[in-house]
């Protein structure tokens, strides 16, 4: 059996790290509420203040004509530009290592739990799955290194549904992963407030620490027997 583990929400406490990093670089004013990330719809929860930036130089103009410029009475004085950081810039350009690399584990010793399962269940193939790209990839590898992961299969996918190309069972908290489960495969869901209403509810556990050899054996048997109703597996 091929077992997939979503890194975020299962091994890495991404939400809390986003909140702490945002608080560090964008401290709130008196009376304002601190950013709180409640699910994976980051655009909904992460906001940024508008900032006035002093223009350092004039914008490049490909049609620039020196003669016209000298004759022009146009005001060429540099002005302040109002800019606002985007979620994409924050996560994948400005604070990528700090967010994806320096995050804590979702629960203490989460990676060690997976390491132990790998060592004790050599009949199964384990994959750590991530839907990150760009600079988040080396940052994620740093996270796995600092937490001493021994998993040799680390897959980065471009879409949540692509995880199913690699595994038979997914341990995840992400609704998009659970909702995309194809026939013949199973979900083991880490129970969170934001995934209560997903279509494929699956078997639920509170954290990765509840997953042991018995759980894996039960899922393996269900797949071998073609029993894909994971509601009652455990």
């Amino acid at each position: 059996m091929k077992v997939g583990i979503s890194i975020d929400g299962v091994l890495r406490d991404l939400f809390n790290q986003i909140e702490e990093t945002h608080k560090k670089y964008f401290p709130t004013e008196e009376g304002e509420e601190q950013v709180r990330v409640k699910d994976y719809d980051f655009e909904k929860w992460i906001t940024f203040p508008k900032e006035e930036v002093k223009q350092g130089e004039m914008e490049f103009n490909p049609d620039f004509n020196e003669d016209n410029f000298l004759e022009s009475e146009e005001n060429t004085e540099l002005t302040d530009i109002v800019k606002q950081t985007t979620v994409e810039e924050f996560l994948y350009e400005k604070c990528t290592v700090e967010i994806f690399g320096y995050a804590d584990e979702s629960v203490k010793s989460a990676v060690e739990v997976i390491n132990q399962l790998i060592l004790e269940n050599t009949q199964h193939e384990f994959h750590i799955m991530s839907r990150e790209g760009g600079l988040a990839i080396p940052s994620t590898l740093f996270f796995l290194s600092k937490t001493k992961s021994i998993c040799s299969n680390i897959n980065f996918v471009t879409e949540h549904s692509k995880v199913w190309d690699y595994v038979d069972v997914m341990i995840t908290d992400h609704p998009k992963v659970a909702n995309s489960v194809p026939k013949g495969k199973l979900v083991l869901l880490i129970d969170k407030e934001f995934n209560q209403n997903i279509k494929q509810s699956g078997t639920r556990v509170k954290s990765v620490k509840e997953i042991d050899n018995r759980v894996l054996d039960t899922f393996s048997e269900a797949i071998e027997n073609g029993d894909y109703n994971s509601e009652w597996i455990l």
Side-chain angles (χ1 to χ4, degrees):
M1 180 175 69
K2 296 180 179 179
V3 182
I5 305 110
S6 288
I7 187 166
D8 290 323
V10 181
L11 304 180
R12 179 169 60 192
D13 189 358
L14 182 64
F15 292 2
N16 183 67
Q17 188 64 12
I18 289 174
E19 293 172 358
E20 290 301 313
T21 306
H22 187 281
K23 182 168 64 175
K24 176 179 177 181
Y25 294 107
F26 302 94
T28 56
E29 300 291 337
E30 188 175 347
E32 291 181 341
E33 288 188 10
Q34 178 61 43
V35 162
R36 291 285 178 261
V37 181
K38 298 181 180 180
D39 58 37
Y40 288 99
D41 185 2
F42 296 145
E43 295 283 349
K44 180 179 178 181
W45 306 110
I46 309 172
T47 58
F48 302 93
K50 291 181 179 180
E51 303 171 280
E52 283 194 358
V53 180
K54 190 69 177 178
Q55 197 173 2
E57 57 185 24
M58 294 181 65
E59 291 186 8
F60 173 71
N61 180 1
D63 301 318
F64 177 78
N65 182 290
E66 185 177 359
D67 293 332
N68 292 341
F69 175 74
L70 294 173
E71 293 173 6
S72 172
E73 295 183 359
E74 240 180 79
N75 182 9
T76 57
E77 189 177 315
L78 297 178
T79 58
D80 291 343
I81 299 174
V82 177
K83 288 192 174 183
Q84 190 170 24
T85 299
T86 66
V87 172
E88 189 81 9
E89 290 170 339
F90 177 65
L91 294 178
Y92 300 108
E93 295 177 24
K94 296 183 176 182
C95 301
T96 313
V97 177
E98 194 161 351
I99 291 172
F100 294 98
Y102 286 94
D104 291 329
E105 291 176 278
S106 54
V107 292
K108 187 177 181 181
S109 303
V111 174
E112 179 56 33
V113 169
I114 297 301
N115 286 348
Q116 202 60 36
L117 290 174
I118 292 172
L119 292 172
E120 294 177 357
N121 296 274
T122 54
Q123 73 275 27
H124 301 312
E125 183 178 302
F126 292 82
H127 293 251
I128 289 178
M129 310 298 300
S130 174
R131 202 214 58 81
E132 305 304 339
L135 294 175
I137 292 177
S139 300
T140 293
L141 294 176
F142 171 71
F143 170 83
L144 293 172
S145 174
K146 74 168 187 165
T147 53
K148 301 179 182 178
S149 171
I150 64 171
C151 185
S152 58
N153 301 304
I154 303 166
N155 305 109
F156 295 91
V157 295
T158 54
E159 298 175 19
H160 294 290
S161 60
K162 295 293 185 183
V163 301
W164 297 109
D165 294 344
Y166 297 89
V167 300
D168 304 307
V169 174
M170 269 300 297
I171 303 169
T172 188
D173 72 343
H174 205 303
K176 287 185 178 179
V177 174
N179 283 335
S180 64
V181 58
K183 185 177 180 180
K185 304 201 175 186
L186 296 170
V187 176
L188 178 50
L189 211 60
I190 304 296
D191 197 35
K192 301 286 177 69
E193 285 187 21
F194 59 80
N195 64 24
Q196 295 300 308
N197 298 319
I198 63 175
K199 299 173 188 175
Q200 173 65 36
S201 58
T203 299
R204 292 174 178 263
V205 293
K206 292 297 181 184
S207 80
V208 71
K209 287 189 170 184
E210 294 183 26
I211 302 170
D212 55 19
N213 298 343
R214 179 189 67 85
V215 172
L216 293 182
D217 289 344
T218 305
F219 269 78
S220 180
E221 183 178 342
I223 286 179
E224 287 177 9
N225 295 336
D227 184 358
Y228 305 123
N229 181 8
S230 63
E231 289 285 353
W232 54 268
I233 282 179
L234 300 179

